Amino acid sequence: EPEPEPEPEPEPEPEPEPEPPRKKQTPAAAQHKQRTGLARMGHGNGVVPPPTPQFPMLDGLPVGIQCLRIVNLLLELPNAAAVFGKPVDTVKYDLPTYFDVVKKPMDLGTVSKKLTQGKYQYIEDFESDMHLTFNNAMLFNGKGHVVSELAQNLKNTFDD
């Protein structure tokens, strides 16, 4: 009489994939996070979500709304909207080397759009895009240029 075949052992469950490494926090972001306890922003679903633990509150308003207010206040400053309110038009302004110098373009209009669409998961990403906007302008235009001076003033205002 043949022996019964042993039952196969169940396959082990796959181990969960490790989380991708997070970006290194800037000192300002670490201080802000420590001061406010902020870590996460919207859910990326294209709509500013209702307040949840993942979308923290600050002074009675969701952080994403607070960030949008900051962007809008900066855009109200003289010349800010004209210079930083939308992506640089390299054709209109005849800037053929712009993309050779600026590898990751960013502007306040794009930041605002990303905020309203819930694209920022971490406040540090918002802060990074804000700095990128101003740093790109200073990099491309150079020290002493009127656009660089405006960028530095807006960056200082944002950081204060």
Side-chain angles (χ1 to χ4, degrees):
E1 189 170 306
E3 284 187 34
E5 290 186 30
E7 289 189 31
E9 291 186 30
E11 291 185 32
E13 291 188 29
E15 292 194 26
E17 292 186 29
E19 288 188 31
R22 291 189 180 166
K23 293 180 183 175
K24 188 174 179 182
Q25 253 185 35
T26 64
Q31 287 175 347
H32 182 75
K33 190 173 180 179
Q34 183 178 21
R35 199 171 57 245
T36 62
L38 304 178
R40 294 177 49 88
M41 293 178 57
H43 300 290
N45 60 3
V47 179
V48 176
T52 67
Q54 289 77 35
F55 198 89
M57 302 289 283
L58 179 64
D59 296 331
L61 286 173
V63 172
I65 301 298
Q66 300 264 4
C67 293
L68 192 55
R69 285 184 169 183
I70 291 168
V71 173
N72 290 336
L73 285 171
L74 290 175
L75 285 169
E76 289 174 9
L77 295 174
N79 302 312
V83 177
F84 296 104
K86 55 187 175 183
V88 172
D89 186 335
T90 59
V91 174
K92 180 179 179 180
Y93 297 108
D94 190 28
L95 305 172
T97 62
Y98 184 79
F99 295 111
D100 295 331
V101 176
V102 175
K103 301 301 181 191
K104 188 176 177 192
M106 186 54 58
D107 62 277
L108 297 182
T110 300
V111 171
S112 179
K113 184 176 180 180
K114 288 173 76 171
L115 280 165
T116 59
Q117 293 177 345
K119 299 283 185 180
Y120 292 112
Q121 185 175 13
Y122 298 98
I123 196 162
E124 292 86 0
D125 296 332
F126 161 72
E127 179 183 40
S128 176
D129 275 356
M130 293 294 286
H131 286 159
L132 181 63
T133 299
F134 308 129
N135 291 339
N136 283 346
M138 292 183 284
L139 174 68
F140 184 77
N141 293 289
K143 191 173 179 107
H145 192 279
V146 64
V147 171
S148 295
E149 290 174 3
L150 177 59
Q152 186 63 61
N153 289 338
L154 290 173
K155 185 176 181 183
N156 292 344
T157 301
F158 173 71
D159 286 340
D160 288 345

